[in-house]
Amino acid sequence: MGTSDESNAGFVRRSLMGEDKPSLGGLLREQELQQRIAVLEAELSHARVLAREQTRLEAQVEQLREANEHLVMATVSAQSLRDLAEATNRRQTEFLAMLAHELRNPLAPLSMAASLLGSVGASGPSSPQLAHVAGVVRRQVDHMARLLDDLLDAARISSGKITLSVRPLALAAALDQAVETVAPRIRERGQRLDVELPDESLTIDGDPVRLTQVFANLLGNASKYTGEGGHVSLRAWRAGEEVVVTVSDNGSGIAPEMLPQVFDLFIQGPRSLARSEGGLGIGLNVVRNLVGMHGGSVTADSAGEGKGSSFTVRLPLSGASAQAAEMPPGPGAAEGACRILLVEDNVDACDTLRALLELAGHEVAVAYDGRAGLEAARARRYDVLICDIGLPGLDGLKIMEHLRREQSREGKPFAVALSGYGQGEDRERAFEAGFDRYLVKPATPEVLLELVGEARMLGA
């Protein structure tokens, strides 16, 4: 009994004195272990964050890889579309050139026949009906030729194939030429044209042919959309370092919603079923582009439908003096006949042109294909050769290359290329082959006779 009680008392005493509590070393180890656990937990948490970040980065890389693949595909597709567009544009330009050639071929004999009718009427008994018919045919042929020119110019501008022959030019000269071009149409419709030009001579840097085309197009447009007996006005003045030209009319006007679009390609306002105004919606687009190529601007204004319209062209003044226009004389048959060889495979065009030249007093021989033309040119000396380019058997360029090799400079005739192709490269090839002048069908008889007269003067 005694021993048991003493043992229990000792246990209580040790418990009260804390002898059964964990030791200090154990506590330190426990704390160290807890710290390590905390560090491991922090590292694990950071690893989890890094893993999530890596997953996110991998997803982004995959997205970027897909985006890059799409970009490469889009680039390839864009290049293919660009190549396709360029090929389509090239085919369109080539088609339009061929279309113009094919349409100009029948226009040439029509134009010559109309001139021949007029010449016969003038030299024979008075026939107002014959003169009227000849005038109608001639005007419609000219209208068709202008439509073809506008169509081709629009294609050339869009493909960047139009180049300007810029020189100092008197503004009045371009305006006078434009007025002369549209005057027959204005007279035919009984319209009044008022022209107001400044007293001072204004000089601009420009291509005389293209600027004349700009103003003739605007005047023709004003006449077309102005009724019988209407009023068209042309005014020009100086404004600071610019020249300003306005073409106004009291015609059908332009609706407000159409004003921002009038210079766009193939854009036209509403037309009646009769389509009495006609047109292709090309002319004003050509005007805007040609004026822009000259460093100028063109704007349109109208108070609304039925209230007329006004077009304003602004061009920079030139600091140089205008060059004198070189106009070849237009001789008549009385000044001396020429011996002319005409090579043309369109029989109607060839025969009508021959009749016209013979009526002017010239001696004319004809050939209807290239080989016959070359043999005729070899067999006899001619003052003038008028030669089509697109000929069966041997084209006009080959004919000139043969003649240039075989004949001396003095013996070679004054050569005029007559073709339905009117692009710049066509002219360059003709001049390289040896032609002296290049005319696009339908060439007017007046221009042909002027060239014959020029040949006569050069040979004198």
Side-chain angles (χ1 to χ4, degrees):
M1 284 290 292
T3 304
S4 176
D5 291 340
E6 288 177 0
S7 299
N8 290 335
F11 174 79
V12 170
R13 208 169 28 251
R14 289 194 301 272
S15 297
L16 290 174
M17 293 177 65
E19 291 180 7
D20 285 343
K21 290 182 179 180
S23 66
L24 180 61
L27 289 175
L28 290 175
R29 285 194 297 274
E30 183 178 353
Q31 289 177 355
E32 183 180 355
L33 182 61
Q34 289 176 348
Q35 288 175 353
R36 289 182 179 178
I37 291 173
V39 170
L40 289 173
E41 288 178 345
E43 290 177 350
L44 179 60
S45 176
H46 182 62
R48 287 172 179 165
V49 171
L50 291 178
R52 287 195 298 270
E53 183 68 18
Q54 181 177 359
T55 302
R56 187 179 66 82
L57 289 175
E58 289 176 350
Q60 287 182 342
V61 168
E62 184 62 26
Q63 292 175 353
L64 289 173
R65 184 180 295 111
E66 292 179 0
N68 185 58
E69 291 176 356
H70 293 158
L71 181 60
V72 171
M73 293 175 62
T75 302
V76 172
S77 177
Q79 181 63 45
S80 299
L81 290 174
R82 184 161 49 250
D83 293 342
L84 179 62
E86 290 176 356
T88 301
N89 186 64
R90 184 169 57 254
R91 286 195 299 269
Q92 171 186 287
T93 303
E94 292 171 354
F95 169 76
L96 291 175
M98 180 59 69
L99 175 66
H101 177 267
E102 294 303 317
L103 291 178
R104 280 188 172 118
N105 270 332
L107 285 182
L110 286 174
S111 177
M112 296 300 171
S115 299
L116 190 57
L117 282 174
S119 300
V120 171
S123 60
S126 177
S127 176
Q129 293 83 4
L130 184 62
H132 174 71
V133 169
V136 169
V137 174
R138 183 63 179 273
R139 285 191 296 273
Q140 295 307 314
V141 167
D142 290 345
H143 179 61
M144 287 272 304
R146 283 193 296 271
L147 289 177
L148 287 172
D149 288 340
D150 283 346
L151 190 62
L152 279 174
D153 283 342
R156 292 176 195 144
I157 288 172
S158 66
S159 60
K161 289 187 176 181
I162 278 192
T163 57
L164 300 180
S165 178
V166 177
R167 63 177 176 81
L169 170 71
L171 175 66
L175 296 178
D176 288 343
Q177 186 63 42
V179 169
E180 183 179 341
T181 301
V182 301
R185 191 186 320 174
I186 290 176
R187 286 195 299 268
E188 180 185 3
R189 306 191 70 179
Q191 296 168 341
R192 187 176 92 248
L193 173 61
D194 291 337
V195 179
E196 183 181 334
L197 302 181
D199 294 331
E200 63 174 320
S201 177
L202 300 178
T203 303
I204 54 179
D205 290 321
D207 183 319
V209 174
R210 291 303 183 180
L211 285 180
T212 296
Q213 179 184 356
V214 164
F215 298 123
N217 202 319
L218 291 176
L219 286 169
N221 210 54
S223 174
K224 179 166 62 177
Y225 293 108
T226 302
E228 302 284 339
H231 178 212
V232 178
S233 67
L234 170 67
R235 295 181 58 238
W237 67 92
R238 175 176 183 160
E241 296 304 313
E242 292 182 321
V243 296
V244 182
V245 180
T246 62
V247 177
S248 306
D249 62 73
N250 62 349
S252 58
I254 306 170
E257 64 271 15
M258 287 298 301
L259 269 176
Q261 309 174 50
V262 293
F263 294 104
D264 293 342
L265 195 60
F266 303 125
I267 291 295
Q268 291 182 316
R271 296 287 182 267
S272 66
L273 290 177
R275 288 189 59 83
S276 57
E277 292 89 359
L280 298 173
I282 292 174
L284 290 179
N285 178 264
V286 172
V287 165
R288 179 181 64 181
N289 282 286
L290 289 178
V291 171
M293 292 172 70
H294 283 84
S297 64
V298 57
T299 55
D301 186 46
S302 176
E305 293 185 78
K307 297 182 180 180
S309 58
S310 177
F311 290 83
T312 302
V313 175
R314 295 179 176 271
L315 293 166
L317 278 167
S318 172
S321 300
Q323 300 174 4
E326 297 180 4
M327 295 297 293
E335 297 177 13
C338 284
R339 187 181 295 121
I340 301 172
L341 173 61
L342 176 58
V343 186
E344 167 66 73
D345 64 315
N346 187 314
V347 176
D348 288 338
C350 190
D351 291 346
T352 51
L353 180 53
R354 174 176 61 179
L356 192 70
L357 292 170
E358 288 177 343
L359 191 64
H362 301 292
E363 179 185 344
V364 184
V366 299
Y368 300 114
D369 64 73
R371 296 196 182 281
L374 179 59
E375 292 304 319
R378 286 169 168 167
R380 187 179 181 186
R381 178 173 176 176
Y382 291 92
D383 302 308
V384 180
L385 169 65
I386 301 175
C387 185
D388 189 14
I389 297 296
L391 293 167
L394 197 68
D395 65 44
L397 301 179
K398 295 294 184 183
I399 291 176
M400 282 309 304
E401 289 172 0
H402 281 291
L403 294 180
R404 185 172 59 181
R405 287 195 301 265
E406 299 169 5
Q407 298 178 347
S408 65
R409 182 178 296 273
E410 293 75 17
K412 188 172 74 71
F414 184 86
V416 179
L418 193 60
S419 175
Y421 296 105
Q423 300 192 55
E425 53 266 33
D426 300 316
R427 297 176 183 271
E428 290 176 5
R429 283 196 294 267
F431 292 138
E432 288 174 0
F435 281 99
D436 299 291
R437 299 290 183 271
Y438 190 97
L439 295 180
V440 178
K441 296 178 180 178
T444 64
E446 294 80 8
V447 171
L448 278 169
L449 291 174
E450 284 181 356
L451 289 179
V452 171
E454 182 181 349
R456 183 192 300 111
M457 293 186 65
L458 291 174

